[in-house]
Amino acid sequence: MKKMRTVTAALALLAAASVGTVQAQTASWTADNGNGTFTNPLFYDEFSDPDILRVGDDYYLAGTTMHTVPGLVILHSKDLVNWENISYCFDRFDFDDPAFSLSGPSGKNRGEVYGEGIWAPAIRYANGQFYVFSNVNGKGLQCYTSKDIRGPWQHHNMQGRIYDLSVLFDDDGKIYAIHGYGEVHCTELKPDMSGPIDETDRIIIPNGSAVGEGHHMYKINGMYYLISTDYRPNGRTLCSRSKSIWGPYETCVITADETFGYHPAPLTQWRGRIVPDGSRFNIPQPDVNATACTNIHQGGIVEDQSGQWWALLMMDFHSIGRTVTLAPITWKDGWPFLGLEGNLGRAPRTWFKPRIAAADTTIPHAPYNRNENFDQKVLGRVWQWNHNPNDKMWSLKNGRLRLQTMPADQLMWARNSLTQRVIGPSSITTVELYTKGLKDGDVCGLGNINIPCSWIGIVKQGKELTLRWFWQGDNDTIDTPVTLPQQKIWLRMCGDYDNDKAEYAYSVDGEHFQTIGREMRLSYQLCTFQGSRHALFAFNKNGQNGGYAEFDNFTVLEPGADRSKNIPYGKTFRIINLATNRPMHAMPHGLMYDIDEKNNSKETHFRLIDKGQGQVALQCEDGRYVWVSGQGLPGDVRLTTDASKAEVFLWQDYLDREFMLMSMRTHLYIGKSPTTGSPYSMDFKGSDPARRNGAVMRWEEVK
């Protein structure tokens, strides 16, 4: 088997171990650690513009779906940590506009609605029914109503230029929409959802108040609270409050700079919208020190049954797209700050699940089943079509997905492409492709819908089959003659999404895989406003309807999903500071410092004392414990032989053996400045985007 060259060794080894017959994945990412704690992100795949709603003991989360259908996804949870996809508000866009079906003039700006479908929903419950409000570019405000969260949903086209909105059903029966960027407006809505009452529109927060968009309005104890996000010059979340919905409002920042140690993904640069093959792209190198919109920002807040408040905010998460985080809220001076007392404005990556009954009884699970054998009569909920499908040109037949080919110039214009989001931090996706039904000019395979796009697949020219690898980034194409004795081929994409890279592989026997092409850079971009998406596609490049392709046994393996061994219980290990690449050293002087990276003395060896629920104490191999005196300033992190003094930390799992230690007493982090020469302290508020400020460590086992 040819070696998987440049995508991480873990991916390569797992790919090699998992070839052959289709195997079920052993685990899929869930934030639930199984010990009463959770680790962000809630989902390691895209879920944009989250809005949260609680009705009784049930929580509902609505999110953006842009141009993909079914549209406006709704998840359900009992504990705010484990979620299940239970509904979409509609199966297809019902506007009389070919752009929503990719059936307009190919290559023209209005032949598609990439990134301009439906986005930024507000989910509400009032009058005995559920409401989901959202915007469709060029079509105005939309509302979907249902007495059952699972539907069916009734569509109300309210029109009007109201977008990125929040909706408040006030105590007096009036319904308000809050919307606008910078200059925030409030407009009353008609109770029958027929439209806005235009003459009621008023500015409630004037321009120049540093307030952004993505509004979420709440009335709490008689006070109006507006949660908003601003992205100039970078992302942060604000709260504005007033005794009247019409203002005046006072505003403060409730979270900023919490990136969980992630820097922004590079944004693809090019001219135009969805571009044809041969165009020039630029994917710049990322600024690893920048925050941009990687920090947690836009989203909603909710009160659980115990009275604790939580924020569910999104962050721009590399080539995965935008995903959701869960953070505790601490009310102080009447403001809902994210974070914990002593460290307001920042949020723990790992924290305790809500203290409600369901948190103790819910079995950890992922929101989707990503694997699909196409044996059922309907597609799994994880799947979405890239624009409205032509339902006459696809089917589930004999345990396979059949896609009949229609004319297209390239993948981004191919109709009936079936997609699902990629999942991180890394994953291996494999599908079987059957080629018997192909005709001249047909192109089909496994692709990545992003800008630039890429794919691996089969091209039929006359009677000949060619295996093709294509990356739009530099319009590179590699063709390989292929013989398929079983009339099928296995296609695979290996993605390292935390590091924004991927590569393709294939097999003609299902056992021996080889890479094709080279490693591809992945990015995020503001045209589709989505991250990378797997696509099963089939089109005809000769400008006509052709034959058909069939797909079976789509599987996703997630090497990083099982985090049960990420905390080194029972091991002896060194702690390496990522900022200096030097090991932590328990000095005879009684302080914590660092030492030459080659030093392997017992003063650089540590063990964990398990305190339960991810809480640990740190003990040096020489028997001394780490404790903190005073305020945690440099020199306050010390060593003691008194076990009762040992500081209790909550382990913050940053994956790949990287971590932070948060004091359960002060909610601050232990760390060491890489520049000042000071000893370790416990006054760090969190990590910087590059994980190089001295608070993020890596453990390595001592053999």
Side-chain angles (χ1 to χ4, degrees):
M1 182 178 73
K2 187 175 180 181
K3 184 180 179 183
M4 298 284 189
R5 295 185 301 274
T6 49
V7 174
T8 62
L11 276 175
L13 290 172
L14 184 55
S18 64
V19 297
T21 58
V22 176
Q23 302 177 13
Q25 63 190 32
T26 56
S28 185
W29 178 277
T30 172
D32 196 326
N33 294 317
N35 63 356
T37 69
F38 66 90
T39 294
N40 283 305
L42 278 184
F43 325 118
Y44 227 111
D45 62 335
E46 185 170 67
F47 194 100
S48 300
D49 304 320
D51 193 31
I52 182 69
L53 169 70
R54 176 185 154 215
V55 180
D57 293 333
D58 296 284
Y59 298 90
Y60 302 104
L61 191 66
T64 287
T65 49
M66 289 296 180
H67 49 275
T68 53
V69 293
L72 285 188
V73 62
I74 298 174
L75 306 186
H76 168 256
S77 177
K78 284 287 189 180
D79 65 355
L80 281 173
V81 174
N82 294 280
W83 294 85
E84 178 188 5
N85 180 0
I86 62 167
S87 184
Y88 291 95
C89 288
F90 58 91
D91 291 330
R92 60 189 297 118
F93 293 106
D94 56 4
F95 304 107
D96 185 18
D97 185 338
F100 288 89
S101 300
L102 275 181
S103 56
S106 179
K108 303 300 182 182
N109 281 347
R110 296 318 309 156
E112 39 73 27
V113 289
Y114 280 110
E116 294 188 351
I118 195 160
W119 47 279
I123 184 170
R124 296 292 181 264
Y125 182 79
N127 308 316
Q129 66 179 350
F130 293 93
Y131 299 76
V132 180
F133 299 86
S134 197
N135 169 75
V136 174
N137 283 27
K139 308 299 180 183
L141 178 61
Q142 312 298 313
C143 178
Y144 297 84
T145 59
S146 176
K147 293 187 179 298
D148 186 339
I149 191 69
R150 290 167 174 81
W153 294 83
Q154 181 181 358
H155 181 198
H156 310 263
N157 189 344
M158 302 178 69
Q159 302 181 342
R161 196 172 184 275
I162 294 177
Y163 60 91
D164 219 359
L165 78 159
S166 181
V167 174
L168 178 73
F169 288 79
D170 211 343
D171 302 333
D172 59 4
K174 293 185 177 181
I175 309 169
Y176 299 104
I178 297 86
H179 55 103
Y181 178 79
E183 183 179 88
V184 182
H185 290 244
C186 181
T187 304
E188 191 175 345
L189 303 179
K190 297 176 182 177
D192 63 358
M193 299 298 117
S194 60
I197 305 175
D198 293 330
E199 60 271 19
T200 64
D201 184 84
R202 287 170 56 181
I203 298 171
I204 60 173
I205 299 178
N207 237 327
S209 301
V211 174
E213 60 185 8
H215 307 297
H216 297 258
M217 177 68 85
Y218 306 92
K219 191 173 186 180
I220 304 171
N221 297 328
M223 182 77 74
Y224 294 88
Y225 288 88
L226 181 63
I227 309 297
S228 308
T229 190
D230 190 22
Y231 57 83
R232 296 178 184 173
N234 64 358
R236 62 198 182 283
T237 300
L238 309 100
C239 179
S240 305
R241 67 183 185 186
S242 174
K243 293 181 179 179
S244 167
I245 196 166
W246 305 110
Y249 285 84
E250 54 180 334
T251 301
C252 78
V253 175
I254 58 174
T255 183
D257 294 332
E258 187 53 78
T259 69
F260 299 122
Y262 287 92
H263 59 77
L267 291 178
T268 307
Q269 307 294 317
W270 77 98
R271 291 184 179 181
R273 278 186 54 77
I274 305 302
V275 290
D277 299 339
S279 297
R280 294 178 174 237
F281 297 89
N282 176 38
I283 304 178
Q285 291 298 319
D287 182 352
V288 299
N289 297 303
T291 299
C293 291
T294 301
N295 53 356
I296 54 178
H297 52 290
Q298 183 170 330
I301 65 174
V302 68
E303 182 183 21
D304 70 21
Q305 297 93 312
S306 73
Q308 169 68 49
W309 284 80
W310 300 86
L312 289 92
L313 306 184
M314 72 178 183
M315 60 187 296
D316 290 15
F317 211 67
H318 287 264
S319 55
I320 286 174
R322 290 167 164 171
T323 191
V324 181
T325 62
L326 176 66
I329 286 175
T330 298
W331 287 85
K332 192 173 185 66
D333 300 327
W335 296 104
F337 289 97
L338 269 70
L340 304 165
E341 191 68 52
N343 194 5
L344 298 180
R346 303 298 293 267
R349 181 165 187 178
T350 298
W351 188 240
F352 301 103
K353 294 172 62 177
R355 290 177 170 83
I356 56 179
D360 298 325
T361 58
T362 302
I363 298 174
H365 63 270
Y368 307 98
N369 178 13
R370 302 178 188 282
N371 295 329
E372 177 72 84
N373 59 18
F374 301 110
D375 287 345
Q376 306 303 313
K377 294 182 179 180
V378 295
L379 293 167
R381 288 187 181 274
V382 71
W383 294 107
Q384 292 176 289
W385 297 99
N386 180 27
H387 292 65
N388 282 346
N390 181 338
D391 287 330
K392 295 180 179 180
M393 300 295 284
W394 75 275
S395 61
L396 294 173
K397 193 177 181 94
N398 299 323
R400 298 176 190 167
L401 168 70
R402 176 176 290 191
L403 299 180
Q404 296 174 243
T405 63
M406 292 176 282
D409 297 329
Q410 57 136 320
L411 171 60
M412 299 298 286
W413 291 103
R415 300 188 65 190
N416 284 13
S417 293
L418 187 64
T419 74
Q420 65 169 265
R421 297 165 296 278
V422 303
I423 186 166
S426 60
S427 56
I428 302 167
T429 299
T430 308
V431 69
E432 297 174 18
L433 169 63
Y434 288 78
T435 61
K436 181 180 179 179
L438 298 181
K439 292 184 178 180
D440 181 44
D442 285 348
V443 183
C444 57
L446 172 66
N448 174 27
I449 290 185
N450 200 335
I451 299 179
C453 68
S454 65
W455 54 268
I456 180 177
I458 293 294
V459 178
K460 187 164 188 178
Q461 297 170 301
K463 296 183 179 180
E464 300 297 321
L465 297 180
T466 301
L467 175 68
R468 177 168 294 172
W469 172 92
F470 172 76
W471 185 44
Q472 195 182 30
D474 55 10
N475 203 36
D476 194 6
T477 302
I478 297 175
D479 284 347
T480 303
V482 63
T483 301
L484 304 178
Q486 302 180 57
Q487 293 185 307
K488 71 174 178 177
I489 188 170
W490 286 257
L491 305 177
R492 171 172 287 173
M493 180 175 174
C494 299
D496 179 1
Y497 301 106
D498 269 8
N499 295 297
D500 298 318
K501 57 186 180 180
E503 63 185 9
Y504 288 109
Y506 73 97
S507 172
V508 296
D509 60 7
E511 295 183 4
H512 303 90
F513 280 76
Q514 18 183 46
T515 54
I516 182 172
R518 66 180 188 278
E519 178 183 290
M520 301 165 294
R521 291 188 63 197
L522 304 177
S523 72
Y524 188 64
Q525 34 67 41
L526 302 181
C527 184
T528 71
F529 268 96
Q530 290 183 332
S532 297
R533 295 180 75 90
H534 296 305
L536 305 181
F537 69 90
F539 63 90
N540 186 282
K541 63 183 180 65
N542 291 345
Q544 61 190 19
N545 290 347
Y548 62 86
E550 291 186 325
F551 298 87
D552 201 359
N553 296 320
F554 183 96
T555 61
V556 182
L557 295 171
E558 302 176 41
D562 182 2
R563 304 190 304 281
S564 60
K565 298 180 181 179
N566 286 15
I567 304 178
Y569 294 121
K571 300 181 185 295
T572 300
F573 55 92
R574 295 201 310 166
I575 299 175
I576 311 299
N577 194 305
L578 295 189
T580 63
N581 203 37
R582 293 163 66 94
M584 183 182 286
H585 179 228
M587 299 177 65
H589 188 50
L591 301 179
M592 298 293 292
Y593 200 55
D594 58 16
I595 201 167
D596 184 88
E597 61 187 60
K598 296 180 181 179
N599 189 293
N600 196 30
S601 65
K602 65 180 181 180
E603 287 79 16
T604 65
H605 296 178
F606 295 89
R607 304 186 187 94
L608 296 180
I609 309 299
D610 186 1
K611 297 292 186 179
Q613 291 190 300
Q615 299 171 100
V616 298
L618 194 60
Q619 184 181 28
C620 182
E621 191 177 45
D622 66 11
R624 293 179 295 169
Y625 299 88
V626 175
W627 72 293
V628 181
S629 67
Q631 298 300 309
L633 301 178
D636 278 349
V637 179
R638 302 181 184 178
L639 284 303
T640 179
T641 57
D642 185 351
S644 66
K645 286 186 175 182
E647 193 79 14
V648 177
F649 300 99
L650 183 63
W651 186 278
Q652 304 290 299
D653 185 10
Y654 274 52
L655 311 183
D656 296 324
R657 295 182 294 124
E658 296 182 4
F659 66 98
M660 295 202 305
L661 293 174
M662 183 183 74
S663 168
M664 287 301 300
R665 185 169 50 85
T666 67
H667 303 136
L668 295 170
Y669 299 90
I670 193 170
K672 183 187 183 303
S673 167
T675 58
T676 64
S678 298
Y680 272 86
S681 64
M682 200 182 67
D683 56 359
F684 285 76
K685 293 180 67 64
S687 173
D688 66 336
R691 304 189 184 185
R692 293 294 187 272
N693 66 334
V696 184
M697 266 63 88
R698 182 184 73 253
W699 64 267
E700 58 180 38
E701 186 175 2
V702 176
K703 300 293 185 180

